[in-house]
């Protein structure tokens, strides 16, 4: 954490009497930077607010960096996102219902359309006009099994794109999902994900071993860390998936391990068999929500690829979330550490521990660049 860092600020100092100077003298001083663990997010990116299957026929409440948002589906099934606030009495619209394309407030039944405008008031008198109050509408997309929201300047939304997760629908990948809800700043979570040296924490559930940082690339949009590592798992036979529950079947072998921070989301690959994503929804300076996705490749099974489409779809459906119990264990163990880090920061915000992993230093720099 960087609570002790500073930045240059120029101020004007008045000249001494009798000095002969007619104008103030520029003076450079050092002002402390805002601590990394208090930085906000760059709102001009796409963030994940829900899995597609979570958004059904009722309004869904979410908070994305202090912004209360309500999600719902219109008559065509398309996702709609507006601020979660009825302008009449300021209650949550997410407590209401959906009527056609409109969101209905639970308190007085006022209805609001997909554009955020007031569409109906049940007790409006003949001489009265509909209120002109309008809710903020957010750009929203449904892609790769998730609902993505753009909380920044709406006119910029099309200049950016959600992080692709092509494995979600691909028949050659079996996916599992776990939700992360941690009472900590989002920077703690992304550092945890980029730090392959913390495998000791996970014991027998750990997928990789003996990592060595062998390469690092970074710019203003991403960080890529390459580790030379070993893996406990090899997917070369259908039955080899049983390694997940029978540790004695696991044997270490060399595998390249690559982790990427495509701000604001994370992706990793372990050899050719495994891909993992973490899709972020930062809630506040002390609360982060995210989705952890694990994909196992079926590319090594050419006979399976020649079977009828219905068979391949059945295999994908049958094994979806088969690794979720492992993901949930990893999440529980990581969350415990992250919340302790957050508590330590709150108690000693100016303390900065030594950081020896160059990948995390690069991540911290990227977070600050994007936030500021």
């Amino acid at each position: 954490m960087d609570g002790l860092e500073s930045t240059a600020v120029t101020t004007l100092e008045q000249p001494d009497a009798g000095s002969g100077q007619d104008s103030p003298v520029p003076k450079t001083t050092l002002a402390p930077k805002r601590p990394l663990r208090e930085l906000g997010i760059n709102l001009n990116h796409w963030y994940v607010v829900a899995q597609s299957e979570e958004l059904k026929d009722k309004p869904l409440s979410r908070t994305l960096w202090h912004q209360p948002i309500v999600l719902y589906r219109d008559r065509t099934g398309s996702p709609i996102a507006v601020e979660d606030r009825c302008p009449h009495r300021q209650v949550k619209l997410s407590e209401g219902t959906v009527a056609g394309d409109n969101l209905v407030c639970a308190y007085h039944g006022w209805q609001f359309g997909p554009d955020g405008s007031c569409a109906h008031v049940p007790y409006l008198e003949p001489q009265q006009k509909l209120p002109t109050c309008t809710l903020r509408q957010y750009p929203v997309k449904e892609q790769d099994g998730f609902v993505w929201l753009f909380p920044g300047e709406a006119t910029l939304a099309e200049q950016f794109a959600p992080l692709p997760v092509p494995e979600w629908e691909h028949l050659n990948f079996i996916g599992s999902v776990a939700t992360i809800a941690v009472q900590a700043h989002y920077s703690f979570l992304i550092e945890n994900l980029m730090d392959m040296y913390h495998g000791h924490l996970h014991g027998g559930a750990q997928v990789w071993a003996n990592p060595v940082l062998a390469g690092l690339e970074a710019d203003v949009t991403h960080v890529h860390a390459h580790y030379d590592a070993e893996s406990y798992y090899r997917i070369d036979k259908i039955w080899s998936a049983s390694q997940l529950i029978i540790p004695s079947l696991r044997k270490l072998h060399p595998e390249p391990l690559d982790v990427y921070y495509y701000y604001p989301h994370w992706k990793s690959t372990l050899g050719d068999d495994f891909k993992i994503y973490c899709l972020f929804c930062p809630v506040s300076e002390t609360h982060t929500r995210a989705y952890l996705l694990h994909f196992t490749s079926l590319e090594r099974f050419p006979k399976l690829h020649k079977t009828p489409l219905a068979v391949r779809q059945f295999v994908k459906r049958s094994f979806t979330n088969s690794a979720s119990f492992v993901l949930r264990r990893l999440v529980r163990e990581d969350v415990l550490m992250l919340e302790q880090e957050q508590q330590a920061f709150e108690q000693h915000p100016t303390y900065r521990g030594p950081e020896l992993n160059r990948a995390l230093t690069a991540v911290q720099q990227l977070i600050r660049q994007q936030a500021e």
Side-chain angles (χ1 to χ4, degrees), residues 11-309:
T11 60
L12 295 180
E13 185 180 60
Q14 295 298 325
D16 295 333
S19 66
Q21 297 178 358
D22 297 326
S23 59
V25 179
K27 180 182 179 181
T28 300
T29 59
L30 292 177
K33 284 184 179 181
R34 190 176 182 188
L36 178 76
R37 313 308 179 182
E38 295 178 356
L39 290 178
I41 64 173
N42 185 342
L43 296 174
N44 289 323
H45 286 279
W46 289 92
Y47 293 84
V48 163
V49 287
Q51 274 190 263
S52 293
E53 64 181 30
E54 292 179 285
L55 187 56
K56 299 178 181 178
D57 57 349
K58 295 181 180 179
L60 182 64
S61 174
R62 285 290 185 266
T63 300
L64 175 53
W65 203 254
H66 300 284
Q67 300 180 47
I69 298 163
V70 56
L71 306 163
Y72 71 99
R73 294 190 184 277
D74 63 16
R75 282 178 289 189
T76 68
S78 299
I80 306 295
V82 296
E83 61 179 301
D84 194 4
R85 175 189 65 87
C86 179
H88 177 214
R89 293 294 180 86
Q90 315 305 311
V91 300
K92 290 183 176 293
L93 287 170
S94 55
E95 301 288 344
T97 56
V98 178
D101 291 334
N102 297 340
L103 194 58
V104 184
C105 179
Y107 201 0
H108 292 86
W110 288 31
Q111 296 188 18
F112 297 87
D115 63 353
S117 64
C118 183
H120 176 69
V121 175
Y123 50 87
L124 191 71
E125 297 182 9
Q127 74 279 10
Q128 294 178 318
K129 295 182 179 180
L130 283 173
T132 57
C133 50
T134 302
L135 302 169
R136 178 181 176 182
Q137 181 191 26
Y138 292 88
V140 63
K141 290 184 178 181
E142 193 163 17
Q143 175 182 303
D144 299 326
F146 288 85
V147 179
W148 301 75
L149 185 139
F150 194 88
E153 180 60 46
T155 57
L156 300 178
E158 293 307 314
Q159 298 181 25
F160 298 84
L163 179 68
V165 188
E167 297 84 3
W168 185 265
E169 297 290 347
H170 202 295
L171 288 177
N172 287 351
F173 289 90
I174 303 298
S176 299
V177 183
T179 301
I180 302 174
V182 56
Q183 299 297 320
H185 190 266
Y186 68 91
S187 62
F188 285 120
L189 177 56
I190 191 62
E191 288 178 19
N192 168 274
L193 293 165
M194 293 294 292
D195 179 14
M196 296 296 100
Y197 294 127
H198 83 277
H200 175 76
L201 172 67
H202 301 303
Q206 188 51 53
V207 177
W208 72 92
N210 305 319
V212 176
L213 183 61
L216 182 65
E217 300 174 4
D219 58 27
V220 296
T221 62
H222 90 293
V223 174
H224 170 203
H226 170 73
Y227 293 84
D228 290 333
E230 294 180 299
S231 173
Y232 286 105
Y233 302 103
R234 186 189 298 277
I235 304 299
D236 54 0
K237 300 285 191 303
I238 288 292
W239 59 263
S240 62
S242 59
Q243 298 170 95
L244 293 171
I245 56 177
I246 306 176
S248 61
L249 296 177
R250 304 172 192 167
K251 294 182 180 180
L252 280 173
H253 61 278
E255 287 281 23
L257 175 58
D258 290 271
V259 290
Y260 305 83
Y261 185 25
Y262 295 115
Y263 186 96
H265 307 291
W266 176 85
K267 173 185 175 180
S268 75
T269 60
L270 179 61
D272 297 323
D273 292 335
F274 301 103
K275 294 187 179 182
I276 309 176
Y277 294 79
C278 190
L279 309 178
F280 278 69
C281 179
V283 176
S284 69
E285 289 84 354
T286 59
H287 184 192
T288 303
R289 181 181 174 86
Y291 291 91
L292 188 64
L293 287 64
H294 177 282
F295 293 99
T296 301
S297 172
L298 300 179
E299 296 284 355
R300 297 181 185 272
F301 310 126
K303 292 182 179 180
L304 178 63
H305 305 162
K306 297 177 182 179
T307 60
L309 179 61

